[in-house]
Amino acid sequence: MLLQRATWPDVRDYLEHSQGIVIPIGSTEQHGPTGMIGTDAICPETIAVGMAEAGILVAPTLSIGMAQHHLAFPGSITLRPSTLMAVVRDVVGSLASQGFTHFYFLNGHGGNIATVQSAFAEIWAEASLNGRASSLKLKLANWFTGQRIVALSRELFGEAEGSHATPSEISLTWHAYPDSMRNEPLTPKRAPNGPIRDASDYRRQFPDGRIGSEPDLASPAHGKRLYQAGLADALADYQAFLTDH
Ligand code: NI
């Protein structure tokens, strides 16, 4: 069930049998010359729609994340870490006040991880420092690090996966939006690799936006297989999260 298409009585009834919710979280940032700026939000959202079809309540996607290092490319938008932490805390607080206890953030962007984990630590610290035990279970899961997805990415792309504007994430977006496919060849075929620092350094080191990847290997057909693997990973991990005490 998608929260945005549900009514409040639907959610009241859902809460009688489950207190868990999935919150897709992504980013709005460049993904090389051929990847959509929404890639990191589209990927977890696409998988989360499959979770909704399995009966799990899915919140609206948090589409803007921590993307400071992409700001030298037009179209990229960032929240400061402190802003994103405030967003996560307010989303969790809103739903927790209504009885939700299990919050599963399905993440599409590596740059969000430290900030979202810090937001969780703030939520737990607030409870502890007020002398209460928090009953909230909070998890950040990356759609791209599940067991099935990692094995399939390796099988399909090997070392050409790279770490930004990867053929796996681009394939998944083209499965979701085949009309947005643009797989012209890129030069160099494989983007340079290395560590990232701030926004200006990023554009200097990685001029077309990719890091270590060959996204021209992407295809909607690969994206369909990646979707199935990512959904299986997410469903299994979410069920384990609900039952793990
Ligand atoms: Ni990405």
Side-chain angles (χ1 to χ4, degrees):
M1 179 164 63
L2 292 170
L3 183 64
Q4 286 192 304
R5 294 194 216 159
T7 63
W8 75 260
D10 293 339
V11 180
R12 175 197 57 200
D13 296 349
Y14 176 90
L15 275 165
E16 283 174 15
H17 67 85
S18 177
Q19 295 76 49
I21 187 163
V22 171
I23 304 165
I25 181 166
S27 184
T28 297
E29 65 186 45
Q30 68 81 19
H31 270 74
T34 55
M36 284 182 267
I37 286 175
T39 294
D40 284 357
I42 291 167
C43 289
E45 180 172 89
T46 299
I47 291 169
V49 167
M51 299 177 84
E53 286 164 2
I56 299 161
L57 186 60
V58 173
T61 303
L62 305 179
S63 299
I64 302 181
M66 220 303 287
Q68 180 278 330
H69 48 291
H70 294 287
L71 286 180
F73 295 88
S76 300
I77 303 174
T78 195
L79 300 179
R80 293 162 199 264
S82 54
T83 310
L84 181 56
M85 286 170 67
V87 169
V88 169
R89 291 170 65 189
D90 287 356
V91 169
V92 169
S94 299
L95 294 163
S97 76
Q98 300 152 7
F100 286 92
T101 55
H102 287 64
F103 296 83
Y104 188 89
F105 287 78
L106 186 62
N107 180 43
H109 174 49
N112 286 341
I113 296 171
T115 302
V116 174
Q117 295 289 9
S118 297
F120 293 171
E122 282 282 350
I123 291 166
W124 284 315
E126 201 161 286
S128 298
L129 294 171
N130 284 301
R132 336 179 245 110
S134 173
S135 57
L136 302 184
K137 301 279 191 298
L138 309 168
K139 178 163 183 173
L140 181 77
N142 302 306
W143 75 266
F144 50 89
T145 56
Q147 197 180 355
R148 294 169 187 82
I149 205 92
V150 167
L152 181 56
S153 293
R154 191 173 304 267
E155 175 198 320
L156 292 172
F157 308 120
E159 293 297 311
E161 174 76 352
S163 61
H164 188 68
T166 68
S168 292
E169 60 183 344
I170 305 289
S171 292
L172 183 50
T173 64
W174 289 349
H175 166 64
Y177 298 102
D179 291 346
S180 298
M181 182 173 162
R182 300 191 210 189
N183 64 341
E184 59 254 36
L186 298 172
T187 309
K189 180 162 173 56
R190 183 168 305 176
N193 222 328
I196 56 171
R197 285 179 278 274
D198 75 340
S200 59
D201 176 72
Y202 186 118
R203 183 142 186 188
R204 205 164 37 242
Q205 304 284 346
F206 311 103
D208 76 1
R210 299 174 292 151
I211 302 179
S213 62
E214 296 184 29
D216 55 352
L217 299 174
S219 76
H222 291 331
K224 184 176 182 188
R225 292 183 65 195
L226 289 156
Y227 166 72
Q228 289 162 342
L231 178 58
D233 279 337
L235 286 172
D237 193 50
Y238 180 74
Q239 288 311 328
F241 170 65
L242 287 187
T243 51
D244 180 29
H245 291 293

